[in-house]
Amino acid sequence: MSWQPSEQGLQEVLGMLRDTSSTDSEVQRNVAQRLDQLRFVPDFLAYLAHVLIHCTGEQDSHRAVAGLLLKNAVNQRSGPATNDNDARAMAYVKSTVLNGLADPDQIVRQTVGTVITSLISNEEPGGWPEALDALTKGMGSSDPNIIEGAFNSLQKICEDAPHKLDFEIQGKNLLDHLVPQFIDYTAHGAQKIRLYALQILQSLLAIRVSAVTANIDIYIQALFAKAADESADIRKCVCASLGLILGTRPDKLVPEMSNVVDYIAFCTSDEDDTVALEACEFWLTFAEDSTLKDQLRPYLPKIAPLLLKGMVYSDWDIAILDIDDVDEGVADKDTDIKPRNYSSKVHSTHESNDPSSSKSAGGGLSREAQDKAFDENEDNLDDEDEDDEDYFDDEDGSGEWNIRKCSAAALDVIAVSFGNDLLEILLPYLRDRIFDSEWTQRESGILALGAIAEGCIDGLEQHLPQLIPFLLKTLQDKKALVRSITCWTLGRYASWCVHVNQTDKNQYFIPTMEGLLQMVLDGNKRVQEAGCSAFATLEEEAGPEMAPYLEPILRNLTFAFSKYQQKNLLILYDAIGTLADSVGSALGAPGYLDILMPPLVERWQRLGDQDPDLVPLLECLSSISIAAGGSFSTYTGPVYQRCLNIIHATLTQYQLFDQNPEEVEEPDRTFIVVALDLLSGLVQGLGEQMHPLIRDNQPPLLHLLALCLTHFEPPVRQSAHALLGDMSMTCFPLLKPVIPQILPSVIEQIVVEPPADCISVCNNAAWAVGEIALQFNGDSAILEPYVPALIQRLVPILLNTKSPKSLTENAAVTIGRLGLVCPALVAPDLSNFAQAWCTALWEIKDNDEKDSAFRGFCMLISANPEGIQNAFIFFCNAVCKWQHPSSQLDQMFRTILQGFKSGLGATWDAQTSTFPPVIRQRLAERYGV
């Protein structure tokens, strides 16, 4: 029998739906609890479908709520019906909701489309033929409500689950049948149907459906036909679709490029901002495709002025952002402060010998504090490029992607591609803009100057001796938005200001530093933010060159604590941490911490252990402790104890949460992660001075560390392994007794192709093992039982082409260090990994970590000379790439090479004759072989 509602059940459901609009919180809570109980009851779904379709006397909003609840319940259920009641209820739901396509109320029809999409999403492709039949027939109905209902549903399906339409009917793919119809409907008389058809095609084009590609020519003709449509939504869709075609089938647009450019140029100035933004996105897509460079070049004179025009603040922007007041005393609203994800530290990115590898970060193989460069879930640890949207999102702090930011991002990309060719076109416009009497024009010109900084620097260099003083003078502009964009643009030229010759530093570098410090103390919060961010950029570029000016810098930055509200304090912490990273041990000189620490200590004492504002302060203190080293000892005790307390308290909260997740809120892992990272900073900076604290303070750090090494949250394990490695270097006597208890869990983290959120854990674990191994040099008995398991895990990582570069390098270093300490256990496997090992490390710059790895590798060769035979040329290449090996390593290279030459005798020349000439030359010059 088909399902039928009972009157009592129907009235209960209707009463509950009516209660959803109640303003009484108690009523709302009761409704939520009842809904939670009912959502898996089959009959409840049927009742909701009945109300949505048949209870036409109810308020449309209540019917729509029934539909949304039905959609949610469908999504929460998975798999086929498990009993007759379930099957009967779902059959009723499916047959009933299709009637809603004809409902006269638009909200109800659209809700029905959402329900149909959810039902189809939970079926196999073609698993609900009645629905697809109703939708395809509905497209041609004479009832406008049914046509709109069908297209609305199809648009949602194509957006959310297009693969569900990818199946064959009578030997032909459904989409091959539908796509030509969708193209025809782009010319429909009803605006909504035209838009739905275009949106459907756009969704299918975005996932490269073959049926769209097969009909691409008539699709493009249809887009051109709608280019001047009266609907802004349709014009926006045309721009977006042309952008997608440009990205997927540019060959189809090239013959029409002149017309396309004219159209997009026209839309870039559309009075509707959504159309103009979509058109601007087209320029960004065009600029980012290097294969279209020659196609873009002829249109630069047309595009560049349009982008400049798009960079002028709109009236809406000005209404929101144009505040010239001294507003530093006005407390930030909660909405002003964006959520901030703390990224734990990663032992990665190794600096390369290859001059083309300009993106490498860090000063060598040892673990770098990549706080800002890596996200916790990053799956490519070598890529530090910022997305254009994120990059230009910072220049005005409004947080919304808009025409201005898109235009600036597009100009930046075009500048990188075309350099001086673009500059020649822009210069007359820029001159007019930056000297314009209208501040909005002047401001946009300065933004443009910053946007082209990277790409046009060669051509701009001759102008910078005039432009930098002009920008410094502009820091005094009465308009806060002009001052703030000038800070941002000066930050973009920080590298030039820093790297001018010594005689010009007084003219450019020092005035830039002083000008930005003045902006750090500006009375306007937006200017403070821009000044502080730009000053941090200058610090990064200048590095140790900031050291002679530390006292005035510190006095300015610490004075800012008395002026800044919460949002800018976060940026101030970052600027101080960056300063510490930049000047290093110079910060530990007498007097500097006396200036820097009082305001930090004052905030430290004011903030509770669970206050989110404590996180950036701890992060900042980590950088200070590493830089200042022993000079930080005055503050070490309280900082160390608080870190212990935070870790202990958070682990306790996790334990309570595990026992009762229903009632106990999950703790914020950020606190434990940042506390572990600060402990790493203390251990790195103070070394043996930490031993008494670690030995005597409670709760015991080693116990907490062991718990963190096996914590279920990857970022906690990541930071725990970083701390383990740092302690191995400076606190090994304390660590050594517990190594047998700790090492098995560390080994478990070293896996081939770890999940994306565990790559950094694996990285740090591999690195930490290498640091531990070094400490056992000469006394390896404790380590030896674990070496076979480590080699079984590290070698596959080294051989796997999918391993991130940094993980491959860390695996190679640790294999080398295990070879240094336990050569007899590692040497038998040498032939398996020798070639990959040499390849992984030969481009890395010389440093102590690389040196220890290569010394270990040489010991493996000495223990198993046959193991290197098939990779001998790779070893020779790796040897030749060393610039300044230590005397010990240099002698090891000499002994091995001369030993092979002696052993091979007359065949040496024949074997090395296949080597590239540069290798033969260097081997002869350096090692006489």
Side-chain angles (χ1 to χ4, degrees), residues 462-589:
Q462 60 179 310
H463 302 287
L464 289 178
Q466 290 78 45
L467 281 172
I468 296 300
F470 163 77
L471 291 172
L472 293 172
K473 185 178 179 183
T474 307
L475 291 176
Q476 307 305 318
D477 198 284
K478 66 180 181 179
K479 298 300 294 183
L481 288 173
V482 174
R483 298 199 300 279
S484 65
I485 200 60
T486 304
C487 291
W488 180 80
T489 295
L490 278 168
R492 297 275 280 172
Y493 290 99
S495 179
W496 183 86
C497 293
V498 167
H499 296 118
V500 292
N501 62 57
Q502 198 61 39
T503 56
D504 287 339
K505 279 204 182 327
N506 289 338
Q507 196 172 351
Y508 303 111
F509 171 55
I510 295 174
T512 300
M513 181 171 60
E514 291 172 344
L516 290 175
L517 279 174
Q518 286 178 3
M519 296 302 97
V520 167
L521 300 179
D522 195 273
N524 182 275
K525 291 197 287 187
R526 185 179 300 282
V527 179
Q528 291 173 356
E529 178 183 3
C532 214
S533 296
F535 192 75
T537 302
L538 186 70
E539 291 171 342
E540 287 181 310
E541 289 291 343
E545 293 191 51
M546 302 295 282
Y549 314 102
L550 264 174
E551 182 173 349
I553 291 171
L554 291 173
R555 293 201 183 279
N556 277 268
L557 293 180
T558 52
F559 185 66
F561 277 101
S562 64
K563 295 168 71 70
Y564 279 19
Q565 298 293 329
Q566 186 181 7
K567 178 185 177 185
N568 286 350
L569 277 175
L570 302 181
I571 301 162
L572 181 59
Y573 286 135
D574 181 65
I576 291 171
T578 302
L579 179 67
D581 296 339
S582 299
V583 301
S585 59
L587 189 63

Side-chain angles (χ1 to χ4, degrees), residues 82-248:
T82 54
N83 55 55
D84 290 345
N85 286 340
D86 201 359
R88 192 161 52 246
M90 286 305 294
Y92 178 81
V93 169
K94 288 182 174 180
S95 62
T96 302
V97 295
L98 293 175
N99 297 321
L101 293 170
D103 199 280
D105 185 83
Q106 183 181 14
I107 294 176
V108 172
R109 281 199 309 276
Q110 293 189 342
T111 307
V112 165
T114 302
V115 174
I116 291 172
T117 300
S118 293
L119 288 164
I120 285 179
S121 297
N122 285 284
E123 295 281 351
E124 292 299 314
W128 187 17
E130 297 84 359
L132 295 172
D133 187 56
L135 293 176
T136 51
K137 286 180 178 174
M139 289 164 58
S141 172
S142 58
D143 184 337
N145 288 334
I146 293 178
I147 298 175
E148 190 189 321
F151 267 98
N152 174 261
S153 299
L154 285 165
Q155 186 268 329
K156 287 182 167 71
I157 294 165
C158 289
E159 185 176 21
D160 295 343
H163 56 286
K164 298 297 184 180
L165 302 180
D166 187 11
F167 65 95
E168 291 194 353
I169 297 179
Q170 298 175 343
K172 187 175 182 181
N173 189 282
L174 177 62
L175 287 171
D176 289 339
H177 172 71
L178 287 178
V179 164
Q181 293 186 54
F182 292 145
I183 293 173
D184 289 342
Y185 275 102
T186 63
H188 194 273
Q191 178 184 302
K192 272 186 184 170
I193 304 306
R194 296 200 299 277
L195 178 60
Y196 280 136
L198 286 165
Q199 289 173 332
I200 287 168
L201 290 164
Q202 184 183 335
S203 293
L204 297 176
L205 175 63
I207 60 168
R208 306 191 181 201
V209 166
S210 59
V212 178
T213 306
N215 293 277
I216 194 75
D217 292 325
I218 59 169
Y219 177 33
I220 290 172
Q221 290 172 13
L223 290 173
F224 286 155
K226 294 296 106 191
D229 198 282
E230 62 188 22
S231 163
D233 286 334
I234 288 176
R235 297 196 302 279
K236 173 186 171 185
C237 201
V238 170
C239 290
S241 300
L242 288 172
L244 284 170
I245 293 170
L246 186 70
T248 54

